[in-house]
Amino acid sequence: MNSIEIVSMGRCVPQRILTNDDLSKMVDTNDEWIVTRTGIHQRHIVDEGMTNADIATQAARDALDRASVDPNTLAAIIVATFTPDMFVPTVSATVHDRLGLNPATLALDLNGACCGFIYAMRTAQGLLALNPDKPILVVASEAVSSVLDFTDRSTCVLFGDGAAAAVVRSSDTPSWFVAGTRGRTDAISCPAHYAGDKPGIGMKGQEVFRFACTSIERSIRDLLKQSGLALGDIEHVVCHQANGRIISHVIKHLGADPAQFFMDVGEYGNTSAASIPLALADMDYQGLLHRGDRVLMTGFGAGLCEGGMLLTW
Ligand code: ACO
């Protein structure tokens, strides 16, 4: 069976921080409401003129610097995003160009909403089956602030910008994936425009909340069933960081150990596709991940889509 492993992680978080108090000067909200409902304290936002490709390139460079692989040997660069700067050129083509990658390296963007990183890893696993000797660079990068309506308090407080990247390669150690799309295309939407004079992200919050809780649990159970493992065998669970309350609800419902579940939504808000790899990069930098650890990841988002992956660090 062909499997995938992560060689190194990289990340790029924009320096500009928007606190809850900053937002309360823009819309009718307050720190107490946002923290109580979401666990979010702040989010990072790209500066004027800074693009998705800028942060994607920095995250990619960081991951490559940390990997002992020659960038010229990359078979592909895949960028998961729903907030590209342009329809074309793709973010991946721009990053490919800026890094001066080998012309034979495939550059591909993938929009899997908040499951983007999981779906990009799944795609990478398929490509690795065709060419097991060449590593792949998986990037997840979002400039969500570019599609947010900063007059809509129900959505603008939830999201943030950021990018993370993983150099991946074939592995002999098994990895498992689950994925699904469950209708309800009206629950979360974002029109394909960037003029900023029309509504941006729209969301039926409570419906998404309920879906998220059942979806995360379904992905965890399916991955455990596939792998024959128990939740107690997993060192780390990394859920899509949309709302701390969703993760706490899942922990309680599963009777799980909260120490297994990493959470950084308080610092970044919801960075969509970037949220899971950003968490992984932070865990890696903090020395929380050790070779041999089992890491289970779950995503959910617009579509409504869901997905998960279980691999060995
Ligand atoms: N500040 C203050 N009040 C607010 C704010 C705000 N930022 N936003 C909404 N309110 C008000 C509403 O207007 C409403 O007021 P009313 O009672 O007078 O009508 C009240 O707060 C309650 O609003 P609800 O929407 O019912 O609040 P809820 O408890 O459901 O929390 C939230 C909203 C945080 C969005 C929650 O539903 C949630 O987290 N849903 C899941 C969101 C999610 O996971 N999104 C990820 C999507 S996938 C992706 O990443 C793209």
Side-chain angles (χ1 to χ4, degrees):
M1 182 175 63
N2 126 276
S3 282
I4 189 168
E5 70 179 8
I6 293 176
V7 183
S8 69
M9 295 297 308
R11 58 163 221 175
C12 174
V13 177
Q15 285 188 348
R16 185 173 157 208
I17 289 174
L18 210 52
T19 64
N20 293 345
D21 286 339
D22 293 333
L23 282 169
S24 71
K25 294 177 189 118
M26 299 159 71
V27 287
D28 181 14
T29 190
N30 58 74
D31 181 62
E32 199 261 333
W33 192 96
I34 301 171
V35 172
T36 312
R37 304 281 173 132
T38 70
I40 298 169
H41 293 271
Q42 61 171 49
R43 67 288 295 143
H44 295 248
I45 300 287
V46 290
D47 269 320
E48 191 82 27
M50 186 185 258
T51 65
N52 184 323
D54 292 338
I55 56 175
T57 304
Q58 280 192 46
R61 198 169 268 136
D62 187 23
L64 286 168
D65 286 349
R66 289 165 189 270
S68 51
V69 300
D70 176 358
N72 278 313
T73 64
L74 288 173
I77 168 171
I78 306 172
V79 176
T81 186
F82 87 101
T83 54
D85 306 307
M86 325 250 281
F87 289 124
V88 283
T90 56
V91 178
S92 53
T94 306
V95 177
H96 184 296
D97 182 43
R98 290 184 184 175
L99 295 179
L101 296 181
N102 190 325
T105 301
L106 169 73
L108 164 73
D109 276 18
L110 177 157
N111 181 351
C114 300
C115 292
F117 179 69
I118 307 266
Y119 294 176
M121 290 288 283
R122 182 59 157 157
T123 305
Q125 188 184 26
L127 291 171
L128 286 169
L130 299 172
N131 197 346
D133 298 328
K134 292 196 162 200
I136 291 177
L137 181 59
V138 175
V139 184
S141 181
E142 301 284 14
V144 188
S145 60
S146 67
V147 295
L148 278 181
D149 176 353
F150 279 99
T151 65
D152 177 8
R153 68 177 182 174
S154 69
T155 52
C156 75
V157 302
L158 303 175
F159 295 91
D161 301 336
V167 175
V168 301
R169 67 180 171 208
S170 301
S171 168
D172 294 332
T173 311
S175 49
W176 296 272
F177 284 89
V178 291
T181 307
R182 294 185 170 260
R184 297 315 313 253
T185 49
D186 60 337
I188 309 169
S189 59
C190 178
H193 70 76
Y194 294 90
D197 58 351
K198 297 180 194 155
I201 292 180
M203 187 168 60
K204 296 183 175 163
Q206 292 186 3
E207 187 176 331
V208 177
F209 193 101
R210 283 191 295 275
F211 170 75
C213 294
T214 51
S215 162
I216 293 172
E217 287 193 34
R218 181 165 45 234
S219 294
I220 291 175
R221 289 188 203 285
D222 287 354
L223 286 167
L224 293 178
K225 194 170 169 199
Q226 266 190 51
S227 62
L229 296 167
L231 192 52
D233 299 325
I234 309 294
E235 277 79 13
H236 309 281
V237 181
V238 182
C239 302
H240 169 44
Q241 305 284 312
N243 183 327
R245 267 200 310 143
I246 292 173
I247 300 172
S248 300
H249 183 278
V250 169
I251 293 170
K252 199 168 163 199
H253 205 240
L254 290 175
D257 177 2
Q260 281 175 290
F261 286 70
F262 185 79
M263 250 202 262
D264 61 8
V265 68
E267 175 172 357
Y268 301 122
N270 178 349
T271 57
S272 190
S275 88
I276 293 173
L278 207 47
L280 283 181
D282 275 358
M283 293 165 75
D284 191 23
Y285 294 5
Q286 290 170 29
L288 299 176
L289 295 169
H290 306 101
R291 288 290 155 199
D293 282 358
R294 292 192 177 106
V295 185
L296 190 156
M297 293 153 257
T298 67
F300 64 88
L304 291 165
C305 67
E306 64 187 26
M309 120 178 103
L310 171 52
L311 49 76
T312 304
W313 193 252

